[in-house]
Amino acid sequence: MAQRPLEPRQHRNTSITGRRWSNESEDRRVVISTGAKVDGARGVFSVDSTDPGAAPRGLDTFRRGWETQIGDDVFQLPAFSPDTIGDFRVKGQVAKVQGAAIADLHAATATRTAEVPGGDQDLVAMYVVQRGAWTLGGPPDYGDQTVSAGQFLIRHLGRLTAFETSAHLTAKFFVLPPGELKPLLGNRVITGSAVSAEIRLLTALTDMIHITVADLGPAGVEAAHSTLIELAKAVMKGRFDDVEPRLAPALTRAAKDLADRRLADPELSPAMLARELNVSVRTLHRAFAAVGEQVATYIRHRRLQEARLALTAPSGRLSISELAAHWQFADGSHFTRAFKKHYGQAPTEYARSIEAASLSPNRHPPGHGPAESA
């Protein structure tokens, strides 16, 4: 990409009530969902213009959602190239949390800004790319910077600059107020692995924010914003602040996500999770305790849940000893005792109850009803 002086822009606060609207006069397939704001503290919207027929109106709809729900004072969307305007196929969700904004983007088409000079702004931007590439225009003396799949980049923006993204991009984009972050950054551009412990914590938090932000009260919005800033600091410093209690939910969520992917791993333990997340075992235990859980208990219950699901398999059912070995129980007897304690039945009894229930559709076997939890 040729060097040029452009860049993404800033968002704004706009008070709204919960509503759903679509660009009906232009294309019914381009739909934006907006969430309720609390005291004008944030906006929420999602957009899906991945249907090729919706693409010609996709950018207009995305811009309208951004300007209405996020605002230009947080990040101003730039002008885009004619090719981008004509074929903008993006699916994503965006949330504003006080002066910050987070966007989860999945772009089927490439995007590129127009060749126009940028205006002044003052914000910290972070790009976390899981797939594809995001190329950012830099100052004249530094040239362009490309954030490839599996990488993140964070920098302070004083002026709008050019950018372009590849087709088939999956990325998270963060706009953060500069107050506490700019002194840590200075003129540096920080890059690193998108699977680092600190980035995993940050992305786990943003996933939680997208799910809960529309229902948060003012105190919850403040806590979410503060935690977002603290985790951004952790990314810049390359370490986690283990005395910051507001970070416990994000650390717990990241640990659970990692544990869920490694349930059959014999090495899975609180120590392994702590090592992978770059925190002490004590910090991990303290984070789980803050949300009323224990690390080892979570791992055991999730393994039991997966074993229970295996018992419901219509064919190819494993034996008790095979289930015990696969889900890392010491032996069949230990697995049976743990299963019976958690579900109220021995595994073989449970399997028989599943078979009986299949003959009586209105019955739910113990631990398998609508209200069942892990």
Side-chain angles (χ1 to χ4, degrees):
M1 186 178 98
Q3 184 178 310
R4 55 189 182 277
L6 287 177
E7 180 98 273
R9 305 179 182 169
Q10 302 174 310
H11 320 6
R12 160 182 54 193
N13 284 351
T14 306
S15 183
I16 64 164
T17 56
R19 59 196 175 101
R20 181 178 177 87
W21 58 275
S22 64
N23 195 5
E24 295 183 355
S25 64
E26 299 173 339
D27 195 319
R28 288 180 178 273
R29 288 165 295 188
V30 182
V31 178
I32 285 183
S33 301
T34 62
K37 293 182 72 175
V38 177
D39 296 333
R42 82 221 182 275
V44 179
F45 79 93
S46 61
V47 67
D48 186 355
S49 62
T50 53
D51 185 324
R57 303 297 182 185
L59 183 57
D60 287 344
T61 307
F62 186 84
R63 185 181 294 278
R64 182 180 306 155
W66 191 285
E67 293 175 351
T68 302
Q69 306 306 322
I70 307 303
D72 287 347
D73 63 327
V74 175
F75 181 81
Q76 182 185 1
L77 287 177
F80 285 92
S81 68
D83 287 346
T84 301
I85 294 170
D87 189 19
F88 186 80
R89 282 178 279 142
V90 171
K91 182 177 182 179
Q93 53 187 349
V94 185
K96 182 176 182 179
V97 188
Q98 293 188 341
I102 53 176
D104 225 338
L105 303 173
H106 305 269
T109 52
T111 63
R112 183 171 181 156
T113 55
E115 300 283 347
V116 296
D120 293 335
Q121 63 179 358
D122 187 19
L123 57 88
V124 170
M126 183 184 300
Y127 312 80
V128 181
V129 177
Q130 286 96 28
R131 183 184 181 195
W134 197 320
T135 300
L136 310 165
D141 294 338
Y142 293 92
D144 298 333
Q145 297 167 315
T146 297
V147 190
S148 302
Q151 295 182 321
F152 79 87
L153 180 147
I154 184 169
R155 65 178 183 173
H156 173 258
L157 299 177
R159 291 183 61 82
L160 294 172
T161 61
F163 71 87
E164 62 183 54
T165 68
S166 68
H168 308 298
L169 174 82
T170 299
K172 293 180 182 289
F173 173 54
F174 304 81
V175 177
L176 304 168
E180 298 181 60
L181 302 177
K182 184 178 176 181
L184 290 175
L185 270 175
N187 294 323
R188 294 183 302 155
V189 173
I190 297 176
T191 61
S193 170
V195 296
S196 69
E198 293 78 20
I199 290 292
R200 289 205 300 266
L201 288 171
L202 183 61
T203 55
L205 172 67
T206 59
D207 290 342
M208 293 167 64
I209 290 175
H210 280 302
I211 293 170
T212 61
V213 68
D215 299 317
L216 292 177
V221 174
E222 171 64 30
H225 177 267
S226 298
T227 306
L228 189 63
I229 298 303
E230 290 299 323
L231 284 176
K233 290 180 184 178
V235 171
M236 295 180 193
K237 297 175 182 177
R239 62 181 176 83
F240 176 77
D241 184 355
D242 64 1
V243 299
E244 176 50 67
R246 290 172 297 189
L247 305 188
L251 175 56
T252 303
R253 181 69 268 160
K256 288 180 177 181
D257 290 345
L258 180 57
D260 288 347
R261 295 194 298 269
R262 307 280 285 273
L263 285 174
D265 188 340
E267 300 299 320
L268 178 61
S269 66
M272 185 272 275
L273 293 174
R275 183 172 61 253
E276 290 287 323
L277 294 170
N278 198 25
V279 300
S280 69
V281 175
R282 181 184 178 194
T283 294
L284 185 64
H285 283 306
R286 192 162 55 217
F288 270 74
V291 296
E293 297 185 82
Q294 294 181 336
V295 186
T297 299
Y298 177 80
I299 294 171
R300 182 172 66 255
H301 286 180
R302 283 289 292 114
R303 283 172 165 169
L304 286 170
Q305 185 184 37
E306 292 300 322
R308 179 187 64 77
L309 292 174
L311 285 168
T312 69
S315 61
R317 192 173 294 166
L318 298 177
S319 68
I320 299 303
S321 59
E322 288 172 330
L323 283 172
H326 183 76
W327 296 113
Q328 305 306 316
F329 289 89
D331 51 40
S333 297
H334 182 262
F335 168 66
T336 297
R337 288 194 300 272
F339 191 97
K340 186 173 183 178
K341 181 178 180 181
H342 191 60
Y343 289 111
Q345 286 181 306
T348 52
E349 295 172 335
Y350 183 82
R352 284 196 295 269
S353 72
I354 293 295
E355 294 173 357
S358 68
L359 302 177
S360 179
N362 293 328
R363 285 187 57 202
H364 291 293
H368 205 71
E372 187 270 336
S373 66

